[in-house]
Amino acid sequence: MPNKSTVVPERSEQVRVLAHKMWEEEGRPEGRADAHWQLAEQLVVSETGKPAAKKTPPRSKAKKS
């Protein structure tokens, strides 16, 4: 876990947007929120050099039948 002094809260929004885009591009699969969030976070960090604030990925809102 990154040191709190290096956490950049505004990066969380970038991670959220990117993870959502990945989810849509994959056809909105159920149960992949964590994987999309982690990959998006890695990409944001690699692009900016600054980690996003730790945030719980969104839960799937799909109805189970």
PDB file of all heavy atoms in Angstrom, residues 1-38:
ATOM      1  N   MET A   1       0.850  -1.180   0.000  1.00  0.00           N
ATOM      2  CA  MET A   1       0.000   0.000   0.000  1.00  0.00           C
ATOM      3  C   MET A   1       0.890   1.236   0.000  1.00  0.00           C
ATOM      4  O   MET A   1       1.858   1.309   0.753  1.00  0.00           O
ATOM      5  CB  MET A   1      -0.899  -0.013   1.225  1.00  0.00           C
ATOM      6  CG  MET A   1      -1.840   1.152   1.276  1.00  0.00           C
ATOM      7  SD  MET A   1      -3.040   0.856   2.604  1.00  0.00           S
ATOM      8  CE  MET A   1      -4.121   2.198   2.279  1.00  0.00           C
ATOM      9  N   PRO A   2       0.573   2.229  -0.844  1.00  0.00           N
ATOM     10  CA  PRO A   2       1.412   3.410  -0.895  1.00  0.00           C
ATOM     11  C   PRO A   2       1.301   4.236   0.383  1.00  0.00           C
ATOM     12  O   PRO A   2       0.297   4.189   1.085  1.00  0.00           O
ATOM     13  CB  PRO A   2       0.870   4.199  -2.090  1.00  0.00           C
ATOM     14  CG  PRO A   2      -0.476   3.659  -2.364  1.00  0.00           C
ATOM     15  CD  PRO A   2      -0.525   2.283  -1.795  1.00  0.00           C
ATOM     16  N   ASN A   3       2.345   4.991   0.645  1.00  0.00           N
ATOM     17  CA  ASN A   3       2.356   5.908   1.764  1.00  0.00           C
ATOM     18  C   ASN A   3       1.260   6.940   1.534  1.00  0.00           C
ATOM     19  O   ASN A   3       1.083   7.422   0.432  1.00  0.00           O
ATOM     20  CB  ASN A   3       3.743   6.565   1.822  1.00  0.00           C
ATOM     21  CG  ASN A   3       3.882   7.520   2.972  1.00  0.00           C
ATOM     22  OD1 ASN A   3       2.933   8.153   3.394  1.00  0.00           O
ATOM     23  ND2 ASN A   3       5.088   7.623   3.464  1.00  0.00           N
ATOM     24  N   LYS A   4       0.519   7.303   2.579  1.00  0.00           N
ATOM     25  CA  LYS A   4      -0.577   8.262   2.427  1.00  0.00           C
ATOM     26  C   LYS A   4      -0.111   9.587   1.838  1.00  0.00           C
ATOM     27  O   LYS A   4      -0.860  10.254   1.146  1.00  0.00           O
ATOM     28  CB  LYS A   4      -1.271   8.505   3.763  1.00  0.00           C
ATOM     29  CG  LYS A   4      -2.117   7.334   4.186  1.00  0.00           C
ATOM     30  CD  LYS A   4      -2.914   7.669   5.409  1.00  0.00           C
ATOM     31  CE  LYS A   4      -3.784   6.494   5.771  1.00  0.00           C
ATOM     32  NZ  LYS A   4      -4.687   6.784   6.849  1.00  0.00           N
ATOM     33  N   SER A   5       1.123   9.966   2.061  1.00  0.00           N
ATOM     34  CA  SER A   5       1.618  11.235   1.520  1.00  0.00           C
ATOM     35  C   SER A   5       1.786  11.174   0.003  1.00  0.00           C
ATOM     36  O   SER A   5       1.840  12.192  -0.651  1.00  0.00           O
ATOM     37  CB  SER A   5       2.944  11.638   2.178  1.00  0.00           C
ATOM     38  OG  SER A   5       3.933  10.681   1.867  1.00  0.00           O
ATOM     39  N   THR A   6       1.853   9.962  -0.570  1.00  0.00           N
ATOM     40  CA  THR A   6       2.006   9.841  -2.016  1.00  0.00           C
ATOM     41  C   THR A   6       0.687   9.552  -2.727  1.00  0.00           C
ATOM     42  O   THR A   6       0.632   9.518  -3.942  1.00  0.00           O
ATOM     43  CB  THR A   6       3.005   8.714  -2.376  1.00  0.00           C
ATOM     44  OG1 THR A   6       2.469   7.477  -1.930  1.00  0.00           O
ATOM     45  CG2 THR A   6       4.362   8.961  -1.778  1.00  0.00           C
ATOM     46  N   VAL A   7      -0.381   9.353  -1.978  1.00  0.00           N
ATOM     47  CA  VAL A   7      -1.680   9.054  -2.572  1.00  0.00           C
ATOM     48  C   VAL A   7      -2.275  10.336  -3.155  1.00  0.00           C
ATOM     49  O   VAL A   7      -2.268  11.378  -2.537  1.00  0.00           O
ATOM     50  CB  VAL A   7      -2.634   8.456  -1.515  1.00  0.00           C
ATOM     51  CG1 VAL A   7      -4.037   8.320  -2.055  1.00  0.00           C
ATOM     52  CG2 VAL A   7      -2.103   7.111  -1.060  1.00  0.00           C
ATOM     53  N   VAL A   8      -2.799  10.211  -4.372  1.00  0.00           N
ATOM     54  CA  VAL A   8      -3.372  11.362  -5.063  1.00  0.00           C
ATOM     55  C   VAL A   8      -4.858  11.098  -5.290  1.00  0.00           C
ATOM     56  O   VAL A   8      -5.223  10.347  -6.195  1.00  0.00           O
ATOM     57  CB  VAL A   8      -2.638  11.593  -6.405  1.00  0.00           C
ATOM     58  CG1 VAL A   8      -3.196  12.796  -7.117  1.00  0.00           C
ATOM     59  CG2 VAL A   8      -1.143  11.735  -6.179  1.00  0.00           C
ATOM     60  N   PRO A   9      -5.732  11.696  -4.474  1.00  0.00           N
ATOM     61  CA  PRO A   9      -7.161  11.410  -4.560  1.00  0.00           C
ATOM     62  C   PRO A   9      -7.786  11.665  -5.929  1.00  0.00           C
ATOM     63  O   PRO A   9      -8.644  10.913  -6.365  1.00  0.00           O
ATOM     64  CB  PRO A   9      -7.786  12.314  -3.504  1.00  0.00           C
ATOM     65  CG  PRO A   9      -6.683  12.621  -2.559  1.00  0.00           C
ATOM     66  CD  PRO A   9      -5.424  12.605  -3.386  1.00  0.00           C
ATOM     67  N   GLU A  10      -7.376  12.699  -6.638  1.00  0.00           N
ATOM     68  CA  GLU A  10      -7.985  13.004  -7.934  1.00  0.00           C
ATOM     69  C   GLU A  10      -7.730  11.901  -8.973  1.00  0.00           C
ATOM     70  O   GLU A  10      -8.425  11.810  -9.971  1.00  0.00           O
ATOM     71  CB  GLU A  10      -7.557  14.361  -8.472  1.00  0.00           C
ATOM     72  CG  GLU A  10      -6.077  14.579  -8.595  1.00  0.00           C
ATOM     73  CD  GLU A  10      -5.404  15.112  -7.335  1.00  0.00           C
ATOM     74  OE1 GLU A  10      -6.035  15.191  -6.279  1.00  0.00           O
ATOM     75  OE2 GLU A  10      -4.228  15.443  -7.429  1.00  0.00           O
ATOM     76  N   ARG A  11      -6.763  11.048  -8.728  1.00  0.00           N
ATOM     77  CA  ARG A  11      -6.485   9.933  -9.641  1.00  0.00           C
ATOM     78  C   ARG A  11      -7.595   8.883  -9.574  1.00  0.00           C
ATOM     79  O   ARG A  11      -7.804   8.145 -10.529  1.00  0.00           O
ATOM     80  CB  ARG A  11      -5.144   9.272  -9.323  1.00  0.00           C
ATOM     81  CG  ARG A  11      -3.968  10.203  -9.420  1.00  0.00           C
ATOM     82  CD  ARG A  11      -3.563  10.415 -10.865  1.00  0.00           C
ATOM     83  NE  ARG A  11      -2.368  11.229 -10.896  1.00  0.00           N
ATOM     84  CZ  ARG A  11      -2.330  12.461 -11.405  1.00  0.00           C
ATOM     85  NH1 ARG A  11      -3.383  12.990 -11.951  1.00  0.00           N
ATOM     86  NH2 ARG A  11      -1.209  13.137 -11.384  1.00  0.00           N
ATOM     87  N   SER A  12      -8.314   8.813  -8.472  1.00  0.00           N
ATOM     88  CA  SER A  12      -9.397   7.835  -8.338  1.00  0.00           C
ATOM     89  C   SER A  12     -10.444   8.016  -9.430  1.00  0.00           C
ATOM     90  O   SER A  12     -10.983   7.045  -9.944  1.00  0.00           O
ATOM     91  CB  SER A  12     -10.070   7.950  -6.973  1.00  0.00           C
ATOM     92  OG  SER A  12      -9.208   7.489  -5.973  1.00  0.00           O
ATOM     93  N   GLU A  13     -10.741   9.238  -9.780  1.00  0.00           N
ATOM     94  CA  GLU A  13     -11.713   9.496 -10.837  1.00  0.00           C
ATOM     95  C   GLU A  13     -11.188   9.002 -12.178  1.00  0.00           C
ATOM     96  O   GLU A  13     -11.932   8.408 -12.962  1.00  0.00           O
ATOM     97  CB  GLU A  13     -12.056  10.991 -10.911  1.00  0.00           C
ATOM     98  CG  GLU A  13     -13.070  11.330 -11.988  1.00  0.00           C
ATOM     99  CD  GLU A  13     -14.456  10.721 -11.771  1.00  0.00           C
ATOM    100  OE1 GLU A  13     -14.737  10.203 -10.683  1.00  0.00           O
ATOM    101  OE2 GLU A  13     -15.267  10.783 -12.706  1.00  0.00           O
ATOM    102  N   GLN A  14      -9.912   9.200 -12.444  1.00  0.00           N
ATOM    103  CA  GLN A  14      -9.317   8.700 -13.682  1.00  0.00           C
ATOM    104  C   GLN A  14      -9.402   7.178 -13.727  1.00  0.00           C
ATOM    105  O   GLN A  14      -9.710   6.600 -14.773  1.00  0.00           O
ATOM    106  CB  GLN A  14      -7.856   9.127 -13.797  1.00  0.00           C
ATOM    107  CG  GLN A  14      -7.667  10.595 -14.043  1.00  0.00           C
ATOM    108  CD  GLN A  14      -6.192  10.952 -14.070  1.00  0.00           C
ATOM    109  OE1 GLN A  14      -5.474  10.668 -13.105  1.00  0.00           O
ATOM    110  NE2 GLN A  14      -5.749  11.552 -15.140  1.00  0.00           N
ATOM    111  N   VAL A  15      -9.124   6.537 -12.613  1.00  0.00           N
ATOM    112  CA  VAL A  15      -9.181   5.079 -12.530  1.00  0.00           C
ATOM    113  C   VAL A  15     -10.615   4.615 -12.770  1.00  0.00           C
ATOM    114  O   VAL A  15     -10.858   3.687 -13.547  1.00  0.00           O
ATOM    115  CB  VAL A  15      -8.663   4.559 -11.172  1.00  0.00           C
ATOM    116  CG1 VAL A  15      -8.910   3.067 -11.021  1.00  0.00           C
ATOM    117  CG2 VAL A  15      -7.182   4.870 -11.016  1.00  0.00           C
ATOM    118  N   ARG A  16     -11.568   5.266 -12.149  1.00  0.00           N
ATOM    119  CA  ARG A  16     -12.971   4.890 -12.288  1.00  0.00           C
ATOM    120  C   ARG A  16     -13.426   4.977 -13.744  1.00  0.00           C
ATOM    121  O   ARG A  16     -14.043   4.052 -14.284  1.00  0.00           O
ATOM    122  CB  ARG A  16     -13.867   5.775 -11.417  1.00  0.00           C
ATOM    123  CG  ARG A  16     -15.329   5.322 -11.397  1.00  0.00           C
ATOM    124  CD  ARG A  16     -16.252   6.375 -10.794  1.00  0.00           C
ATOM    125  NE  ARG A  16     -16.314   7.573 -11.609  1.00  0.00           N
ATOM    126  CZ  ARG A  16     -16.999   7.669 -12.769  1.00  0.00           C
ATOM    127  NH1 ARG A  16     -17.658   6.641 -13.240  1.00  0.00           N
ATOM    128  NH2 ARG A  16     -17.017   8.801 -13.432  1.00  0.00           N
ATOM    129  N   VAL A  17     -13.099   6.074 -14.395  1.00  0.00           N
ATOM    130  CA  VAL A  17     -13.501   6.273 -15.790  1.00  0.00           C
ATOM    131  C   VAL A  17     -12.857   5.224 -16.700  1.00  0.00           C
ATOM    132  O   VAL A  17     -13.520   4.637 -17.556  1.00  0.00           O
ATOM    133  CB  VAL A  17     -13.150   7.706 -16.255  1.00  0.00           C
ATOM    134  CG1 VAL A  17     -13.318   7.870 -17.752  1.00  0.00           C
ATOM    135  CG2 VAL A  17     -14.008   8.720 -15.505  1.00  0.00           C
ATOM    136  N   LEU A  18     -11.583   4.980 -16.506  1.00  0.00           N
ATOM    137  CA  LEU A  18     -10.875   4.002 -17.331  1.00  0.00           C
ATOM    138  C   LEU A  18     -11.400   2.587 -17.092  1.00  0.00           C
ATOM    139  O   LEU A  18     -11.615   1.823 -18.038  1.00  0.00           O
ATOM    140  CB  LEU A  18      -9.374   4.071 -17.063  1.00  0.00           C
ATOM    141  CG  LEU A  18      -8.481   3.180 -17.917  1.00  0.00           C
ATOM    142  CD1 LEU A  18      -8.693   3.435 -19.409  1.00  0.00           C
ATOM    143  CD2 LEU A  18      -7.018   3.412 -17.546  1.00  0.00           C
ATOM    144  N   ALA A  19     -11.643   2.221 -15.838  1.00  0.00           N
ATOM    145  CA  ALA A  19     -12.172   0.892 -15.522  1.00  0.00           C
ATOM    146  C   ALA A  19     -13.552   0.707 -16.158  1.00  0.00           C
ATOM    147  O   ALA A  19     -13.861  -0.359 -16.707  1.00  0.00           O
ATOM    148  CB  ALA A  19     -12.250   0.693 -14.011  1.00  0.00           C
ATOM    149  N   HIS A  20     -14.369   1.735 -16.120  1.00  0.00           N
ATOM    150  CA  HIS A  20     -15.698   1.662 -16.726  1.00  0.00           C
ATOM    151  C   HIS A  20     -15.588   1.481 -18.242  1.00  0.00           C
ATOM    152  O   HIS A  20     -16.329   0.681 -18.836  1.00  0.00           O
ATOM    153  CB  HIS A  20     -16.502   2.924 -16.398  1.00  0.00           C
ATOM    154  CG  HIS A  20     -17.903   2.877 -16.889  1.00  0.00           C
ATOM    155  ND1 HIS A  20     -18.897   2.200 -16.232  1.00  0.00           N
ATOM    156  CD2 HIS A  20     -18.475   3.399 -17.995  1.00  0.00           C
ATOM    157  CE1 HIS A  20     -20.033   2.315 -16.906  1.00  0.00           C
ATOM    158  NE2 HIS A  20     -19.798   3.040 -17.986  1.00  0.00           N
ATOM    159  N   LYS A  21     -14.669   2.195 -18.850  1.00  0.00           N
ATOM    160  CA  LYS A  21     -14.458   2.070 -20.300  1.00  0.00           C
ATOM    161  C   LYS A  21     -14.039   0.636 -20.656  1.00  0.00           C
ATOM    162  O   LYS A  21     -14.538   0.052 -21.623  1.00  0.00           O
ATOM    163  CB  LYS A  21     -13.396   3.059 -20.754  1.00  0.00           C
ATOM    164  CG  LYS A  21     -13.144   3.044 -22.236  1.00  0.00           C
ATOM    165  CD  LYS A  21     -12.111   4.086 -22.615  1.00  0.00           C
ATOM    166  CE  LYS A  21     -11.806   4.007 -24.104  1.00  0.00           C
ATOM    167  NZ  LYS A  21     -10.786   4.959 -24.504  1.00  0.00           N
ATOM    168  N   MET A  22     -13.121   0.067 -19.876  1.00  0.00           N
ATOM    169  CA  MET A  22     -12.680  -1.312 -20.106  1.00  0.00           C
ATOM    170  C   MET A  22     -13.851  -2.280 -19.996  1.00  0.00           C
ATOM    171  O   MET A  22     -13.998  -3.190 -20.817  1.00  0.00           O
ATOM    172  CB  MET A  22     -11.611  -1.711 -19.078  1.00  0.00           C
ATOM    173  CG  MET A  22     -10.311  -1.028 -19.249  1.00  0.00           C
ATOM    174  SD  MET A  22      -9.253  -1.528 -17.861  1.00  0.00           S
ATOM    175  CE  MET A  22      -7.842  -0.506 -18.168  1.00  0.00           C
ATOM    176  N   TRP A  23     -14.678  -2.076 -18.986  1.00  0.00           N
ATOM    177  CA  TRP A  23     -15.842  -2.926 -18.760  1.00  0.00           C
ATOM    178  C   TRP A  23     -16.779  -2.884 -19.962  1.00  0.00           C
ATOM    179  O   TRP A  23     -17.241  -3.911 -20.447  1.00  0.00           O
ATOM    180  CB  TRP A  23     -16.542  -2.469 -17.482  1.00  0.00           C
ATOM    181  CG  TRP A  23     -17.845  -3.126 -17.186  1.00  0.00           C
ATOM    182  CD1 TRP A  23     -18.037  -4.415 -16.800  1.00  0.00           C
ATOM    183  CD2 TRP A  23     -19.134  -2.517 -17.219  1.00  0.00           C
ATOM    184  NE1 TRP A  23     -19.385  -4.645 -16.585  1.00  0.00           N
ATOM    185  CE2 TRP A  23     -20.074  -3.493 -16.838  1.00  0.00           C
ATOM    186  CE3 TRP A  23     -19.578  -1.233 -17.513  1.00  0.00           C
ATOM    187  CZ2 TRP A  23     -21.433  -3.221 -16.763  1.00  0.00           C
ATOM    188  CZ3 TRP A  23     -20.929  -0.970 -17.433  1.00  0.00           C
ATOM    189  CH2 TRP A  23     -21.843  -1.961 -17.059  1.00  0.00           C
ATOM    190  N   GLU A  24     -17.042  -1.682 -20.458  1.00  0.00           N
ATOM    191  CA  GLU A  24     -17.916  -1.541 -21.622  1.00  0.00           C
ATOM    192  C   GLU A  24     -17.303  -2.179 -22.866  1.00  0.00           C
ATOM    193  O   GLU A  24     -17.995  -2.840 -23.634  1.00  0.00           O
ATOM    194  CB  GLU A  24     -18.230  -0.077 -21.881  1.00  0.00           C
ATOM    195  CG  GLU A  24     -19.199   0.494 -20.863  1.00  0.00           C
ATOM    196  CD  GLU A  24     -19.661   1.890 -21.207  1.00  0.00           C
ATOM    197  OE1 GLU A  24     -18.888   2.659 -21.817  1.00  0.00           O
ATOM    198  OE2 GLU A  24     -20.816   2.198 -20.866  1.00  0.00           O
ATOM    199  N   GLU A  25     -15.996  -1.981 -23.061  1.00  0.00           N
ATOM    200  CA  GLU A  25     -15.323  -2.538 -24.232  1.00  0.00           C
ATOM    201  C   GLU A  25     -15.310  -4.069 -24.229  1.00  0.00           C
ATOM    202  O   GLU A  25     -15.245  -4.691 -25.278  1.00  0.00           O
ATOM    203  CB  GLU A  25     -13.903  -1.987 -24.349  1.00  0.00           C
ATOM    204  CG  GLU A  25     -13.881  -0.531 -24.771  1.00  0.00           C
ATOM    205  CD  GLU A  25     -12.487   0.082 -24.776  1.00  0.00           C
ATOM    206  OE1 GLU A  25     -11.518  -0.573 -24.327  1.00  0.00           O
ATOM    207  OE2 GLU A  25     -12.370   1.232 -25.217  1.00  0.00           O
ATOM    208  N   GLU A  26     -15.381  -4.663 -23.034  1.00  0.00           N
ATOM    209  CA  GLU A  26     -15.407  -6.127 -22.919  1.00  0.00           C
ATOM    210  C   GLU A  26     -16.825  -6.676 -22.996  1.00  0.00           C
ATOM    211  O   GLU A  26     -17.045  -7.869 -22.809  1.00  0.00           O
ATOM    212  CB  GLU A  26     -14.753  -6.583 -21.609  1.00  0.00           C
ATOM    213  CG  GLU A  26     -13.261  -6.539 -21.634  1.00  0.00           C
ATOM    214  CD  GLU A  26     -12.641  -7.178 -20.395  1.00  0.00           C
ATOM    215  OE1 GLU A  26     -13.310  -7.950 -19.684  1.00  0.00           O
ATOM    216  OE2 GLU A  26     -11.463  -6.892 -20.138  1.00  0.00           O
ATOM    217  N   GLY A  27     -17.788  -5.806 -23.255  1.00  0.00           N
ATOM    218  CA  GLY A  27     -19.171  -6.273 -23.363  1.00  0.00           C
ATOM    219  C   GLY A  27     -19.910  -6.297 -22.049  1.00  0.00           C
ATOM    220  O   GLY A  27     -20.876  -7.041 -21.895  1.00  0.00           O
ATOM    221  N   ARG A  28     -19.451  -5.524 -21.085  1.00  0.00           N
ATOM    222  CA  ARG A  28     -20.077  -5.406 -19.764  1.00  0.00           C
ATOM    223  C   ARG A  28     -20.192  -6.739 -19.016  1.00  0.00           C
ATOM    224  O   ARG A  28     -21.258  -7.117 -18.536  1.00  0.00           O
ATOM    225  CB  ARG A  28     -21.451  -4.742 -19.884  1.00  0.00           C
ATOM    226  CG  ARG A  28     -21.370  -3.352 -20.455  1.00  0.00           C
ATOM    227  CD  ARG A  28     -22.727  -2.736 -20.585  1.00  0.00           C
ATOM    228  NE  ARG A  28     -22.592  -1.372 -21.059  1.00  0.00           N
ATOM    229  CZ  ARG A  28     -23.582  -0.517 -21.130  1.00  0.00           C
ATOM    230  NH1 ARG A  28     -24.790  -0.875 -20.749  1.00  0.00           N
ATOM    231  NH2 ARG A  28     -23.357   0.697 -21.569  1.00  0.00           N
ATOM    232  N   PRO A  29     -19.080  -7.462 -18.903  1.00  0.00           N
ATOM    233  CA  PRO A  29     -19.142  -8.759 -18.216  1.00  0.00           C
ATOM    234  C   PRO A  29     -19.383  -8.596 -16.714  1.00  0.00           C
ATOM    235  O   PRO A  29     -18.893  -7.658 -16.094  1.00  0.00           O
ATOM    236  CB  PRO A  29     -17.754  -9.347 -18.467  1.00  0.00           C
ATOM    237  CG  PRO A  29     -16.869  -8.156 -18.607  1.00  0.00           C
ATOM    238  CD  PRO A  29     -17.720  -7.126 -19.310  1.00  0.00           C
ATOM    239  N   GLU A  30     -20.121  -9.521 -16.159  1.00  0.00           N
ATOM    240  CA  GLU A  30     -20.392  -9.502 -14.724  1.00  0.00           C
ATOM    241  C   GLU A  30     -19.206 -10.085 -13.963  1.00  0.00           C
ATOM    242  O   GLU A  30     -18.559 -11.021 -14.434  1.00  0.00           O
ATOM    243  CB  GLU A  30     -21.636 -10.330 -14.438  1.00  0.00           C
ATOM    244  CG  GLU A  30     -22.138 -10.185 -13.027  1.00  0.00           C
ATOM    245  CD  GLU A  30     -23.482 -10.852 -12.819  1.00  0.00           C
ATOM    246  OE1 GLU A  30     -24.265 -10.928 -13.761  1.00  0.00           O
ATOM    247  OE2 GLU A  30     -23.711 -11.296 -11.686  1.00  0.00           O
ATOM    248  N   GLY A  31     -18.888  -9.523 -12.809  1.00  0.00           N
ATOM    249  CA  GLY A  31     -17.860 -10.083 -11.942  1.00  0.00           C
ATOM    250  C   GLY A  31     -16.431  -9.705 -12.287  1.00  0.00           C
ATOM    251  O   GLY A  31     -15.498 -10.344 -11.820  1.00  0.00           O
ATOM    252  N   ARG A  32     -16.218  -8.692 -13.118  1.00  0.00           N
ATOM    253  CA  ARG A  32     -14.861  -8.304 -13.509  1.00  0.00           C
ATOM    254  C   ARG A  32     -14.474  -6.925 -12.975  1.00  0.00           C
ATOM    255  O   ARG A  32     -13.459  -6.374 -13.361  1.00  0.00           O
ATOM    256  CB  ARG A  32     -14.727  -8.302 -15.037  1.00  0.00           C
ATOM    257  CG  ARG A  32     -14.976  -9.631 -15.689  1.00  0.00           C
ATOM    258  CD  ARG A  32     -13.747 -10.408 -16.082  1.00  0.00           C
ATOM    259  NE  ARG A  32     -12.846  -9.637 -16.905  1.00  0.00           N
ATOM    260  CZ  ARG A  32     -11.530  -9.544 -16.681  1.00  0.00           C
ATOM    261  NH1 ARG A  32     -10.984 -10.199 -15.685  1.00  0.00           N
ATOM    262  NH2 ARG A  32     -10.761  -8.821 -17.457  1.00  0.00           N
ATOM    263  N   ALA A  33     -15.274  -6.367 -12.080  1.00  0.00           N
ATOM    264  CA  ALA A  33     -15.014  -5.021 -11.572  1.00  0.00           C
ATOM    265  C   ALA A  33     -13.626  -4.903 -10.937  1.00  0.00           C
ATOM    266  O   ALA A  33     -12.895  -3.948 -11.205  1.00  0.00           O
ATOM    267  CB  ALA A  33     -16.093  -4.605 -10.568  1.00  0.00           C
ATOM    268  N   ASP A  34     -13.253  -5.877 -10.124  1.00  0.00           N
ATOM    269  CA  ASP A  34     -11.944  -5.820  -9.462  1.00  0.00           C
ATOM    270  C   ASP A  34     -10.804  -5.853 -10.467  1.00  0.00           C
ATOM    271  O   ASP A  34      -9.844  -5.088 -10.353  1.00  0.00           O
ATOM    272  CB  ASP A  34     -11.774  -6.977  -8.469  1.00  0.00           C
ATOM    273  CG  ASP A  34     -12.647  -6.829  -7.237  1.00  0.00           C
ATOM    274  OD1 ASP A  34     -13.082  -5.696  -6.934  1.00  0.00           O
ATOM    275  OD2 ASP A  34     -12.883  -7.843  -6.565  1.00  0.00           O
ATOM    276  N   ALA A  35     -10.918  -6.724 -11.458  1.00  0.00           N
ATOM    277  CA  ALA A  35      -9.860  -6.837 -12.470  1.00  0.00           C
ATOM    278  C   ALA A  35      -9.737  -5.553 -13.275  1.00  0.00           C
ATOM    279  O   ALA A  35      -8.628  -5.067 -13.541  1.00  0.00           O
ATOM    280  CB  ALA A  35     -10.143  -8.011 -13.391  1.00  0.00           C
ATOM    281  N   HIS A  36     -10.876  -4.984 -13.665  1.00  0.00           N
ATOM    282  CA  HIS A  36     -10.839  -3.732 -14.424  1.00  0.00           C
ATOM    283  C   HIS A  36     -10.256  -2.602 -13.578  1.00  0.00           C
ATOM    284  O   HIS A  36      -9.468  -1.789 -14.062  1.00  0.00           O
ATOM    285  CB  HIS A  36     -12.244  -3.347 -14.903  1.00  0.00           C
ATOM    286  CG  HIS A  36     -12.773  -4.267 -15.950  1.00  0.00           C
ATOM    287  ND1 HIS A  36     -14.049  -4.770 -15.899  1.00  0.00           N
ATOM    288  CD2 HIS A  36     -12.205  -4.794 -17.059  1.00  0.00           C
ATOM    289  CE1 HIS A  36     -14.250  -5.558 -16.944  1.00  0.00           C
ATOM    290  NE2 HIS A  36     -13.132  -5.596 -17.661  1.00  0.00           N
ATOM    291  N   TRP A  37     -10.657  -2.553 -12.318  1.00  0.00           N
ATOM    292  CA  TRP A  37     -10.172  -1.496 -11.424  1.00  0.00           C
ATOM    293  C   TRP A  37      -8.646  -1.598 -11.260  1.00  0.00           C
ATOM    294  O   TRP A  37      -7.935  -0.610 -11.365  1.00  0.00           O
ATOM    295  CB  TRP A  37     -10.856  -1.601 -10.060  1.00  0.00           C
ATOM    296  CG  TRP A  37     -10.543  -0.428  -9.182  1.00  0.00           C
ATOM    297  CD1 TRP A  37      -9.497  -0.318  -8.311  1.00  0.00           C
ATOM    298  CD2 TRP A  37     -11.245   0.810  -9.125  1.00  0.00           C
ATOM    299  NE1 TRP A  37      -9.509   0.912  -7.696  1.00  0.00           N
ATOM    300  CE2 TRP A  37     -10.575   1.624  -8.180  1.00  0.00           C
ATOM    301  CE3 TRP A  37     -12.370   1.305  -9.761  1.00  0.00           C
ATOM    302  CZ2 TRP A  37     -11.013   2.914  -7.875  1.00  0.00           C
ATOM    303  CZ3 TRP A  37     -12.801   2.592  -9.445  1.00  0.00           C
ATOM    304  CH2 TRP A  37     -12.125   3.372  -8.516  1.00  0.00           C
ATOM    305  N   GLN A  38      -8.156  -2.803 -11.010  1.00  0.00           N
ATOM    306  CA  GLN A  38      -6.718  -2.985 -10.798  1.00  0.00           C
ATOM    307  C   GLN A  38      -5.910  -2.640 -12.046  1.00  0.00           C
ATOM    308  O   GLN A  38      -4.871  -1.980 -11.951  1.00  0.00           O
ATOM    309  CB  GLN A  38      -6.427  -4.413 -10.346  1.00  0.00           C
ATOM    310  CG  GLN A  38      -6.924  -4.694  -8.948  1.00  0.00           C
ATOM    311  CD  GLN A  38      -6.809  -6.155  -8.555  1.00  0.00           C
ATOM    312  OE1 GLN A  38      -6.415  -7.001  -9.343  1.00  0.00           O
ATOM    313  NE2 GLN A  38      -7.172  -6.448  -7.315  1.00  0.00           N
TER     314      GLN A  38
END
